[in-house]
């Protein structure tokens, strides 16, 4: 989940709830496995990063252990409640007298990680996304992509996008079309980005020395798999995912949240208040 609020000056304020938590631990020199208990409680960590001279404030919100229990009935409830709480708080602030300094903590994006082992969506994945797709922009991600061959990744992406997502009527975040006046290079990058959905990523909480430079990746007998370097983008889609989020689609994610998801919530609130008012008037007669 990602919340993108307004920041002052040259700072953009973001709050994430997605499993790329190693960004936080990398910046603070922490060990990921030593500091994340597997619970279903919402946890938050804040970190400041700088991207091309622009300061970005991140709050990573995570629920470690999601889907690990024997009985996963309604295990997504804490996340749906969290999203609704942010909508409710924004609705209250927006309805108040002091509307100039509203802090936008609404959730603008959900990065949903799909297991590579089942080669498709599990029933839990389907139920979760169907329970939450009308509340937030969902961007699907294939986790642990280094456990699959390139051919398997391609096949899994096609299966997910062309069959399972459509079959279960799940609404994913729709990437906007390029403006007609964009240059050809940008249009090419945008097409490659859309073709990469769902993003296949690799995680690592350690660095490896490779050719006199330290990189974040995984070491195998066959070589090194690099997680997020521009030199080897074919290793995984992390760079594309990061560029999509930080550089190209942040504003659109915010706009869709404001114009679609929040408006739906707002309409439900108004409808509920109207229904309560009508009920009260009827009881007085």
């Amino acid at each position: 989940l990602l919340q993108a609020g307004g920041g002052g000056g040259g700072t953009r304020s973001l709050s994430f709830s997605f499993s790329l938590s190693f960004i936080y631990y990398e910046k603070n020199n922490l060990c990921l496995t030593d500091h994340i208990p597997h619970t279903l409680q919402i946890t938050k960590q804040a970190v400041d990063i700088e991207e091309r001279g622009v300061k970005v404030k991140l709050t990573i919100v995570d629920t470690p252990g999601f889907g690990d229990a024997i009985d996963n009935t309604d295990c997504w409830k804490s996340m749906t409640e969290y999203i609704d709480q942010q909508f409710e708080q924004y609705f209250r602030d927006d309805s108040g007298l002091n509307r100039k300094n509203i802090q936008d903590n609404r959730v603008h994006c959900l990065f949903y990680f799909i297991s590579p082992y089942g080669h498709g969506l599990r029933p839990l994945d389907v139920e979760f996304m169907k329970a939450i797709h009308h509340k937030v922009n969902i961007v699907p991600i294939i986790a642990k992509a280094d456990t699959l061959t390139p051919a398997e990744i391609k096949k899994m992406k096609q299966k997910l996008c062309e069959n399972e997502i459509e079959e279960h009527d799940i609404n994913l975040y729709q990437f906007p079309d390029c403006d007609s006046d964009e240059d050809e290079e940008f249009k090419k990058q945008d097409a490659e980005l859309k073709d990469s959905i769902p993003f296949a990523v690799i995680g690592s909480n350690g660095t490896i020395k490779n050719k006199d430079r330290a990189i974040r990746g995984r070491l195998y007998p066959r070589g090194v798999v690099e997680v997020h370097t521009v030199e080897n983008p074919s290793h995984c889609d992390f760079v594309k995912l990061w560029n999509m989020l930080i550089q190209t689609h942040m504003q659109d994610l915010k706009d869709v949240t404001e114009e679609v998801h929040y408006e739906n919530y707002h309409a439900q609130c108004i409808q509920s208040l109207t229904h309560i008012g009508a009920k009260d008037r009827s009881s007085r007669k």
Side-chain angles (χ1 to χ4, degrees):
L1 312 173
L2 172 145
Q3 300 161 302
T11 302
R12 290 176 291 182
S13 174
L14 302 175
S15 174
F16 290 88
S17 175
F18 71 121
S19 296
L20 295 179
S21 306
F22 65 81
I23 298 173
Y24 168 77
Y25 291 91
E26 178 186 53
K27 293 292 180 180
N28 292 279
N29 297 316
L30 301 176
C31 177
L32 187 66
T33 54
D34 290 344
H35 292 268
I36 297 187
H38 278 214
T39 71
L40 282 179
Q41 296 179 349
I42 297 289
T43 60
K44 301 180 184 180
Q45 300 91 22
V47 59
D48 294 325
I49 65 172
E50 188 167 334
E51 183 72 15
R52 295 186 178 181
V54 178
K55 293 181 179 180
V56 182
K57 183 180 290 294
L58 304 180
T59 302
I60 300 169
V61 186
D62 201 4
T63 53
F66 170 78
D68 290 347
I70 296 175
D71 182 4
N72 288 302
T73 304
D74 294 338
C75 63
W76 54 81
K77 211 167 184 180
S78 60
M79 282 170 273
T80 57
E81 289 176 350
Y82 179 82
I83 293 173
D84 284 340
Q85 286 169 4
Q86 309 316 307
F87 277 146
E88 181 182 358
Q89 184 61 53
Y90 189 87
F91 178 72
R92 288 179 178 178
D93 293 342
D94 193 43
S95 303
L97 297 176
N98 185 14
R99 301 173 60 185
K100 291 183 178 180
N101 300 314
I102 296 177
Q103 185 174 357
D104 187 359
N105 287 324
R106 292 173 298 179
V107 177
H108 298 84
C109 183
L110 182 144
F111 287 166
Y112 191 82
F113 285 75
I114 300 167
S115 171
Y117 305 125
H119 299 280
L121 295 178
R122 301 168 298 171
L124 174 61
D125 300 326
V126 174
E127 291 303 313
F128 175 87
M129 287 193 277
K130 289 181 73 172
I132 209 167
H133 67 167
H134 60 286
K135 298 176 182 288
V136 67
N137 299 307
I138 298 178
V139 175
I141 296 173
I142 300 172
K144 300 181 179 180
D146 51 332
T147 62
L148 302 173
T149 66
E152 288 173 332
I153 291 174
K154 182 178 180 180
K155 183 177 179 180
M156 187 172 181
K157 287 188 176 190
Q158 290 176 337
K159 181 180 179 182
L160 288 170
C161 287
E162 297 175 7
N163 298 320
E164 295 187 314
I165 297 295
E166 184 176 348
E167 175 187 341
H168 295 292
D169 198 26
I170 296 170
N171 297 323
L172 300 179
Y173 170 63
Q174 298 297 312
F175 287 75
D177 294 330
C178 280
D179 293 333
S180 57
D181 58 350
E182 294 286 358
D183 59 62
E184 293 302 317
E185 182 63 26
F186 183 86
K187 290 180 180 178
K188 180 182 177 181
Q189 292 177 358
D190 184 70
E192 291 176 353
L193 189 69
K194 293 175 181 176
D195 290 341
S196 298
I197 304 299
F199 296 104
V201 303
I202 302 167
S204 173
N205 56 351
T207 56
I208 299 169
K209 191 172 182 180
N210 186 33
K211 297 180 180 179
D212 298 324
R213 63 190 179 97
I215 62 168
R216 182 164 292 280
R218 291 182 177 272
L219 179 63
Y220 293 99
R222 62 182 183 273
V224 175
V225 177
E226 300 184 22
V227 174
H228 54 92
T229 61
V230 294
E231 290 84 358
N232 292 300
S234 61
H235 285 200
C236 78
D237 294 330
F238 183 90
V239 173
K240 293 178 182 176
L241 173 66
W242 185 252
N243 290 342
M244 179 278 293
L245 177 63
I246 300 298
Q247 297 180 17
T248 60
H249 288 74
M250 181 193 303
Q251 187 58 50
D252 188 67
L253 288 165
K254 295 173 68 174
D255 291 343
V256 174
T257 299
E258 172 70 28
E259 297 167 8
V260 179
H261 300 300
Y262 178 67
E263 279 304 311
N264 289 339
Y265 175 84
H266 187 243
Q268 290 173 5
C269 288
I270 297 300
Q271 185 177 9
S272 178
L273 292 172
T274 303
H275 178 72
I276 293 173
K279 190 175 180 179
D280 289 341
R281 288 192 296 272
S282 176
S283 63
R284 292 171 188 172
K285 293 181 179 178

